[in-house]
Amino acid sequence: MVGASREELVSVPVLGPEWQKSELHELSRRGKSAVRKEKRQRIWREWTRDQRGVCGVTWLTRKMLVIILSCMVVGTALVLFFTIPRPPSYSFYVSQPFTVNNSTVQFARTPANFSFTGNLNILADTTSSYLPLQYSDISVQLYHLTTNKQIATGNYGKNKVKKGNQEPVSIPVQFSYSAPNATDTTWNDIYSACGHMWTGTVRPPLRLRLVLTSNIVGLVTKPETSTQISDVTCPFELSSNSV
């Protein structure tokens, strides 16, 4: 008996489309990196041609971004121009740059010294500033004009000066000086300028140099002003029985 032969059916998977070499390359790590790089280059070219916006904002093209940044720069410059304080210029009261508390006046010959307190009266010209000036500190030093020796110091402390043509500022000052004897030029000049006015006596004027340092809120630097105070009459008169 002839055995019946039976063919076995073998299932073969259906073949898909063949992969291109370029497609296989794109699946690799290097290929993916190249694709991302090409995408970035394409986006950059489109943005430089004003065909694409920034960060997904379609209207924020390169041209529009340049306009916005330019407006911001101009706006910032205008704000700084009007808000940054400008150091004022200073001048003295012509008639009375100093006022002195007479009860504090002390002079001695041996050792030669003097001390007294008072106020330095100046005018601050703030017309160059568009806002009031806020001082955190104003310090002053007074020197004898001829010998250049310091004879007084003062401090204004925190204060505000409104914007105006010439705003008065009165700074408390402490005069203090000592020397070995009365032949010292600095002591002798101050004593002569403030001495008792006997009949026929002509007192010489005070000749001083002022150094004023301003610490203004909003300014990094501390502007310093130096000026001479010449031909100023001493604001007090020593008694007839003074040293």
Side-chain angles (χ1 to χ4, degrees):
M1 181 178 67
V2 179
S5 62
R6 185 176 59 184
E7 295 180 355
E8 294 183 358
L9 298 177
V10 180
S11 59
V12 178
V14 179
L15 295 177
E18 293 184 359
W19 289 87
Q20 299 290 330
K21 186 177 181 181
S22 59
E23 293 175 324
L24 293 174
H25 175 69
E26 291 176 358
L27 293 176
S28 65
R29 182 179 298 178
R30 183 176 298 178
K32 291 179 180 178
S33 177
V35 170
R36 288 194 297 268
K37 181 179 180 182
E38 183 181 353
K39 183 179 180 180
R40 288 194 297 267
Q41 290 175 344
R42 184 178 69 256
I43 293 173
W44 172 255
R45 286 194 298 267
E46 291 176 354
W47 184 74
T48 56
R49 296 169 184 168
D50 286 333
Q51 297 173 344
R52 175 187 288 267
V54 176
C55 300
V57 183
T58 56
W59 57 268
L60 196 57
T61 60
R62 185 187 64 164
K63 183 177 180 180
M64 184 59 66
L65 185 61
V66 170
I67 294 174
I68 293 174
L69 291 177
S70 298
C71 292
M72 290 177 62
V73 170
V74 173
T76 303
L78 288 174
V79 171
L80 292 176
F81 179 80
F82 288 105
T83 57
I84 289 182
R86 294 167 174 79
S89 57
Y90 299 98
S91 58
F92 296 94
Y93 285 120
V94 176
S95 58
Q96 197 175 37
F98 291 107
T99 53
V100 172
N101 183 352
N102 291 331
S103 64
T104 63
V105 176
Q106 293 183 357
F107 273 77
R109 284 186 178 273
T110 307
N113 66 84
F114 61 80
S115 65
F116 51 90
T117 61
N119 291 312
L120 173 64
N121 304 314
I122 61 176
L123 296 171
D125 188 348
T126 60
T127 52
S128 62
S129 185
Y130 290 90
L131 296 174
L133 294 179
Q134 181 72 45
Y135 288 95
S136 60
D137 179 73
I138 298 180
S139 61
V140 298
Q141 294 83 38
L142 283 166
Y143 299 86
H144 187 275
L145 187 60
T146 304
T147 63
N148 202 35
K149 292 183 177 180
Q150 182 174 299
I151 61 172
T153 59
N155 190 280
Y156 188 49
K158 293 182 178 180
N159 216 316
K160 180 183 287 187
V161 177
K162 65 180 181 179
K163 181 188 180 310
N165 189 12
Q166 286 187 326
E167 290 298 316
V169 177
S170 185
I171 304 175
V173 289
Q174 173 67 51
F175 285 79
S176 180
Y177 180 78
S178 61
N181 52 62
T183 60
D184 180 80
T185 303
T186 301
W187 184 91
N188 200 27
D189 285 356
I190 302 299
Y191 179 79
S192 299
C194 301
H196 184 70
M197 297 182 65
W198 301 96
T199 303
T201 300
V202 178
R203 300 193 306 180
L206 291 170
R207 294 173 55 81
L208 308 174
R209 180 172 66 89
L210 169 69
V211 177
L212 187 149
T213 305
S214 304
N215 192 352
I216 302 174
V217 176
L219 286 182
V220 177
T221 58
K222 296 181 180 181
E224 184 175 283
T225 301
S226 179
T227 186
Q228 294 182 7
I229 308 174
S230 301
D231 302 327
V232 175
T233 302
C234 181
F236 63 90
E237 178 184 351
L238 294 173
S239 64
S240 59
N241 60 353
S242 61
V243 294

